Amino acid sequence: MPTFSIHTLGCRANQADSEQLAQILVGAGFQEVEFGQVADCQIVNTCTVTREADRKSAQMVRRAARSGEQVVVTGCGAAQRGGAWQRVPYSALRLPPDQRENVLALIGAENCPSAAILERGWLRRDRARALLRIQDGCDQFCTFCIVPYVRGRARSKSLEWVVERVRQFEHDGAGEVVLSGIHLSAWGHDLDTNLADLVETILSSTSQVRIRLSSVEPDLFPVRLIELMQLYPRRLCPHLHLVLQHASDTILDRMHRGYTLAHYDNLVQEFVARVPGASLTTDLMVGFPGESDQDFEQLMNYVRRTPFSKIHVFPYSARPGTAAARFSQTVAPPLLHERRDRLLRLAQRKLVGFQRASLGQTRPALVESEWERPGWMKATSDNFLPLLIRGGPALRGHCLPVRLLRRWREAVVGEVQEGF
Ligand code: SF4
């Protein structure tokens, strides 16, 4: 049986794309192995959002070339000219991200499933959670971001297409479907509808699978989604990854983000006040050109007073071809690193604070996979806490009430409540 492996860098949209590639290859008779093991086909799904992501992508292509007959490079890096991976001394096949369906032809596989099967998608047997990309491209053109140049204009999958896929995943036994996109909040703007309408239709067209939103941007975020979280507490996860990037309006403007801190904060207040168990996560960027001490302190103060449960911190790096790459007033590396480290320490304190505040609660948790220690499983709560619970693979795919007992590094140890 031919084998393949995939290494995925970057966002949930890339993860969803990798999942679809894996479905296609498994459907064609390939067997998946761990990345780094010998395989007939090694796929690297690259990210190019920062210089560091570009460097890691190139590193993974080098690693893939050491253990694979064929190396396929996809993701944003494959859509961009001159990415770091293109300078590695190996030949790799390039699969632009919007041509995933062509992977079998690209690698010369003989057993190609029909186009109808590829289009339908299905849940693999070892998965409890399905990732579904419902939107691609972006029209926002944030000044630091290369993605609109490599992914093209914003475009949405139709409402019917999405609902059908979610119904299929529910039928296949998925406990959770994660809706993802490059600019997920923009879903439907090219179809004269919006993300809240889509989520409401999904909830009324399915009966038990829970729905989670992947990363959302504040500018086009429909407030009605918060109301839906309140109305459907068991079906729509009380978790928002609402990307902020910065808390200084001057910097937000230079980034061309399309919202102010006041707009962002209104959404946060609404979310926290109306949704029980609300969990708020975000991405923040430090060291953007022109970021003064005052801008940075404003960011730190906003983070201190806002109930973030998890924060991804990105140090700014210029991406060739973006507007910000030409900006003056760059922040010197030692200062940028000092700010990054201060923010990372604060982010860690926020995470620990959220974990501690959650102890004693009982939350619905989706059991997903075996943990490294036998007799333990990994699960995720509705509000996105990684959990560890006692049990075996038979629990996979079940959504169970779990009482949260104590912290264990980045996770919380929980106990399944009686009656299950
Ligand atoms: S919203 Fe901004 S950061 Fe996000 S993909 Fe679009 S341009 Fe890039």
Side-chain angles (χ1 to χ4, degrees), residues 39-339:
D40 298 297
C41 172
Q42 304 263 10
I43 299 175
V44 182
N45 196 347
T46 57
C47 172
T48 185
V49 74
T50 61
R51 195 183 303 143
E52 179 61 10
D54 217 19
R55 189 191 65 76
K56 277 192 187 153
S57 297
Q59 189 183 36
M60 288 304 148
V61 174
R62 276 195 293 273
R63 203 170 139 199
R66 286 199 289 274
S67 46
E69 282 282 316
Q70 276 180 319
V71 178
V72 174
V73 177
T74 188
C76 286
Q80 186 195 22
R81 280 183 175 279
W85 72 270
Q86 289 168 44
R87 298 191 293 276
V88 303
Y90 306 101
S91 63
L93 299 168
R94 194 174 76 92
L95 181 68
D98 57 351
Q99 291 174 28
R100 287 183 302 285
E101 291 78 5
N102 299 336
V103 63
L104 294 171
L106 184 75
I107 64 175
E110 285 160 11
N111 180 15
C112 297
S114 73
I117 293 176
L118 297 182
E119 169 70 359
R120 186 179 68 100
W122 66 90
L123 187 74
R124 286 195 285 159
R125 260 187 315 202
D126 57 347
R127 297 288 194 275
R129 167 194 282 171
L131 291 169
L132 184 61
R133 190 148 67 70
I134 64 171
Q135 187 277 341
D136 204 348
C138 182
D139 296 338
Q140 182 62 35
F141 287 91
C142 297
T143 53
F144 57 81
C145 184
I146 194 71
V147 168
Y149 303 95
V150 297
R151 291 272 187 172
R153 304 303 302 256
R155 52 211 183 269
S156 311
K157 292 287 191 185
S158 74
L159 185 140
E160 295 74 25
W161 186 95
V162 179
V163 171
E164 190 45 43
R165 270 30 245 156
V166 177
R167 285 164 61 104
Q168 182 67 48
F169 284 134
E170 180 175 67
H171 175 263
D172 290 350
E176 180 178 303
V177 176
V178 183
L179 304 178
S180 74
I182 297 295
H183 189 330
L184 184 59
S185 301
W187 182 90
H189 279 242
D190 49 338
L191 305 173
D192 237 5
T193 177
N194 67 52
L195 188 59
D197 289 343
L198 174 68
V199 169
E200 197 161 16
T201 308
I202 292 172
L203 292 171
S204 59
S205 309
T206 51
S207 55
Q208 56 184 35
V209 67
R210 80 182 186 187
I211 304 297
R212 187 184 297 280
L213 300 175
S214 183
S215 175
V216 282
E217 301 284 340
D219 54 340
L220 299 176
F221 181 81
V223 185
R224 166 111 177 106
L225 279 169
I226 294 175
E227 200 181 316
L228 291 177
M229 285 181 183
Q230 196 181 14
L231 287 172
Y232 296 89
R234 289 173 181 274
R235 301 287 317 281
L236 185 55
C237 291
H239 167 227
L240 270 188
H241 186 84
L242 190 62
V243 180
L244 172 60
Q245 298 298 11
H246 214 284
S248 151
D249 282 342
T250 313
I251 298 295
L252 287 175
D253 190 44
R254 283 171 70 88
M255 288 176 163
H256 195 244
R257 292 288 294 163
Y259 54 87
T260 60
L261 180 65
H263 172 79
Y264 184 92
D265 196 50
N266 283 341
L267 291 176
V268 169
Q269 298 308 329
E270 184 93 5
F271 174 52
V272 173
R274 293 180 71 166
V275 180
S279 169
L280 176 70
T281 57
T282 198
D283 297 340
L284 297 174
M285 184 178 283
V286 290
F288 189 75
E291 183 191 63
S292 64
D293 286 347
Q294 199 187 356
D295 292 322
F296 180 68
E297 292 310 326
Q298 211 170 320
L299 175 59
M300 292 290 282
N301 285 335
Y302 185 69
V303 172
R304 279 186 201 105
R305 68 169 196 268
T306 306
F308 291 115
S309 52
K310 188 164 180 145
I311 299 169
H312 299 280
V313 176
F314 297 93
Y316 170 76
S317 61
R319 308 304 296 135
T322 60
R326 297 189 297 276
F327 286 0
S328 56
Q329 294 179 275
T330 53
V331 177
L335 182 58
L336 188 148
H337 295 147
E338 185 194 313
R339 288 177 181 169

